[in-house]
Amino acid sequence: MSMIFDPFRELDRVAANLLDRRESPRVMPMDLYRDADHYVLTADLPGIDPGSVDVDVDGQLLTIRAERTPRSLDGVQWLARERAAGTFLRQLTLGKDIDTEQISAHYENGVLSVMIPVLEKAKPRKIEVATSNERQEVSA
Protein backbone atom coordinates (compact mmCIF):
# COMPACT_ATOMS: atom_id res chain seq x y z
CA MET A 1 0.00 0.00 0.00
CA SER A 2 1.54 3.31 -0.98
CA MET A 3 1.02 6.47 1.02
CA ILE A 4 1.57 10.01 -0.22
CA PHE A 5 3.44 12.25 2.21
CA ASP A 6 1.68 15.58 2.78
CA PRO A 7 3.86 17.86 4.93
CA PHE A 8 0.98 20.18 5.84
CA ARG A 9 -1.22 17.31 7.00
CA GLU A 10 1.70 15.89 8.96
CA LEU A 11 2.26 19.31 10.59
CA ASP A 12 -1.43 19.48 11.52
CA ARG A 13 -1.24 16.00 13.04
CA VAL A 14 1.86 16.83 15.09
CA ALA A 15 0.34 20.11 16.31
CA ALA A 16 -2.90 18.36 17.26
CA ASN A 17 -1.00 15.72 19.20
CA LEU A 18 0.99 18.37 21.07
CA LEU A 19 -2.11 20.38 21.94
CA ASP A 20 -4.28 17.34 22.68
CA ARG A 21 -4.55 16.62 26.38
CA ARG A 22 -5.72 13.01 26.71
CA GLU A 23 -7.04 13.49 30.24
CA SER A 24 -9.40 16.30 29.27
CA PRO A 25 -12.93 15.40 28.17
CA ARG A 26 -13.73 15.73 24.50
CA VAL A 27 -16.77 17.57 23.20
CA MET A 28 -19.34 15.60 21.26
CA PRO A 29 -21.11 17.28 18.33
CA MET A 30 -24.82 17.71 18.93
CA ASP A 31 -28.02 19.18 17.53
CA LEU A 32 -30.82 20.61 19.66
CA TYR A 33 -34.26 21.65 18.44
CA ARG A 34 -37.78 22.13 19.76
CA ASP A 35 -40.58 20.02 18.33
CA ALA A 36 -43.97 21.14 19.68
CA ASP A 37 -44.01 20.27 23.41
CA HIS A 38 -40.49 18.86 23.80
CA TYR A 39 -36.87 19.45 22.91
CA VAL A 40 -34.82 16.86 21.05
CA LEU A 41 -31.08 16.63 21.58
CA THR A 42 -29.06 14.35 19.30
CA ALA A 43 -25.36 13.74 19.91
CA ASP A 44 -22.94 11.87 17.67
CA LEU A 45 -21.10 9.14 19.57
CA PRO A 46 -19.89 6.67 16.93
CA GLY A 47 -17.98 3.67 18.21
CA ILE A 48 -19.02 4.26 21.81
CA ASP A 49 -19.98 1.27 23.94
CA PRO A 50 -23.64 1.86 24.92
CA GLY A 51 -22.81 0.72 28.45
CA SER A 52 -20.47 3.69 28.87
CA VAL A 53 -23.11 6.30 27.98
CA ASP A 54 -24.36 8.16 31.06
CA VAL A 55 -27.10 10.82 31.03
CA ASP A 56 -28.06 12.49 34.28
CA VAL A 57 -29.88 15.56 35.55
CA ASP A 58 -28.88 17.41 38.71
CA GLY A 59 -31.25 20.29 39.30
CA GLN A 60 -31.22 22.16 35.98
CA LEU A 61 -27.91 20.70 34.74
CA LEU A 62 -28.07 17.95 32.10
CA THR A 63 -24.81 16.01 31.78
CA ILE A 64 -23.99 13.54 29.00
CA ARG A 65 -20.83 11.48 29.44
CA ALA A 66 -19.49 8.61 27.33
CA GLU A 67 -16.20 6.82 26.89
CA ARG A 68 -14.43 5.35 23.89
CA THR A 69 -11.63 3.01 24.84
CA PRO A 70 -8.62 3.00 22.53
CA ARG A 71 -8.09 -0.14 20.47
CA SER A 72 -4.81 -1.71 21.38
CA LEU A 73 -3.77 -4.37 18.94
CA ASP A 74 -0.48 -6.10 19.65
CA GLY A 75 2.03 -6.21 16.84
CA VAL A 76 0.36 -3.68 14.55
CA GLN A 77 1.91 -0.55 13.09
CA TRP A 78 -0.57 2.31 12.97
CA LEU A 79 -0.55 4.27 9.71
CA ALA A 80 -3.27 6.68 10.80
CA ARG A 81 -5.02 7.03 14.14
CA GLU A 82 -7.43 9.95 13.99
CA ARG A 83 -10.39 8.67 16.01
CA ALA A 84 -10.15 10.18 19.47
CA ALA A 85 -10.40 7.91 22.48
CA GLY A 86 -11.18 8.93 26.03
CA THR A 87 -14.07 10.60 27.80
CA PHE A 88 -16.64 12.67 25.92
CA LEU A 89 -18.61 15.20 27.95
CA ARG A 90 -21.39 17.71 27.31
CA GLN A 91 -23.26 19.75 29.92
CA LEU A 92 -26.31 21.93 29.32
CA THR A 93 -28.21 24.19 31.67
CA LEU A 94 -31.92 23.51 31.31
CA GLY A 95 -34.56 26.21 31.65
CA LYS A 96 -37.03 26.25 34.52
CA ASP A 97 -39.89 25.20 32.23
CA ILE A 98 -38.43 21.72 31.60
CA ASP A 99 -40.01 18.57 33.04
CA THR A 100 -36.78 17.03 34.35
CA GLU A 101 -38.67 14.00 35.73
CA GLN A 102 -39.72 12.86 32.23
CA ILE A 103 -36.43 13.19 30.32
CA SER A 104 -35.63 10.03 28.35
CA ALA A 105 -32.67 8.89 26.25
CA HIS A 106 -32.07 6.32 23.50
CA TYR A 107 -28.78 5.26 21.87
CA GLU A 108 -28.83 3.66 18.41
CA ASN A 109 -26.33 3.45 15.53
CA GLY A 110 -23.85 5.78 17.23
CA VAL A 111 -26.40 8.53 17.89
CA LEU A 112 -27.71 9.42 21.35
CA SER A 113 -31.20 10.96 21.32
CA VAL A 114 -32.46 12.73 24.45
CA MET A 115 -36.11 13.76 24.67
CA ILE A 116 -36.60 16.76 26.98
CA PRO A 117 -40.29 17.53 27.63
CA VAL A 118 -41.62 20.99 28.44
CA LEU A 119 -43.81 21.46 31.53
CA GLU A 120 -47.53 21.80 30.88
CA LYS A 121 -47.57 25.41 32.13
CA ALA A 122 -44.88 26.39 29.60
CA LYS A 123 -46.64 24.92 26.55
CA PRO A 124 -48.20 27.38 24.11
CA ARG A 125 -51.90 27.83 24.63
CA LYS A 126 -54.67 29.67 22.87
CA ILE A 127 -56.10 32.75 24.61
CA GLU A 128 -59.74 33.45 23.88
CA VAL A 129 -60.39 37.01 22.82
CA ALA A 130 -63.63 38.54 24.09
CA THR A 131 -65.63 40.91 21.86
CA SER A 132 -67.29 44.13 22.99
CA ASN A 133 -70.71 42.36 23.11
CA GLU A 134 -69.43 39.86 25.67
CA ARG A 135 -67.75 42.44 27.90
CA GLN A 136 -69.29 42.91 31.31
CA GLU A 137 -70.01 46.34 32.73
CA VAL A 138 -68.03 47.43 35.73
CA SER A 139 -69.80 49.86 38.01
CA ALA A 140 -68.02 51.92 40.61
Side-chain angles (χ1 to χ4, degrees), residues 19-36:
L19 298 174
D20 185 21
R21 295 181 52 210
R22 291 286 175 196
E23 66 274 0
S24 66
R26 284 137 177 50
V27 177
M28 64 191 76
M30 68 168 217
D31 292 332
L32 177 65
Y33 60 92
R34 183 167 180 170
D35 183 15

Side-chain angles (χ1 to χ4, degrees), residues 1 3 13 69-83:
M1 179 163 120
M3 300 229 7
R13 186 190 64 77
T69 53
R71 292 185 72 187
S72 58
L73 301 172
D74 294 333
V76 299
Q77 178 184 6
W78 290 98
L79 300 176
R81 195 167 191 177
E82 298 177 352
R83 298 177 60 216

Side-chain angles (χ1 to χ4, degrees), residues 5 10 13 40 45 60 65 76 94 101 110-111 120:
F5 179 73
E10 189 64 17
R13 186 190 64 77
V40 178
L45 295 169
Q60 298 305 115
R65 183 175 288 111
V76 299
L94 302 174
E101 297 294 320
V111 177
E120 193 64 39

Side-chain angles (χ1 to χ4, degrees), residues 14-64:
V14 170
N17 284 340
L18 289 174
L19 298 174
D20 185 21
R21 295 181 52 210
R22 291 286 175 196
E23 66 274 0
S24 66
R26 284 137 177 50
V27 177
M28 64 191 76
M30 68 168 217
D31 292 332
L32 177 65
Y33 60 92
R34 183 167 180 170
D35 183 15
D37 60 351
H38 62 278
Y39 292 94
V40 178
L41 181 150
T42 54
D44 288 345
L45 295 169
I48 300 289
D49 175 22
S52 78
V53 178
D54 183 36
V55 179
D56 62 66
V57 177
D58 184 6
Q60 298 305 115
L61 183 66
L62 175 71
T63 302
I64 302 170

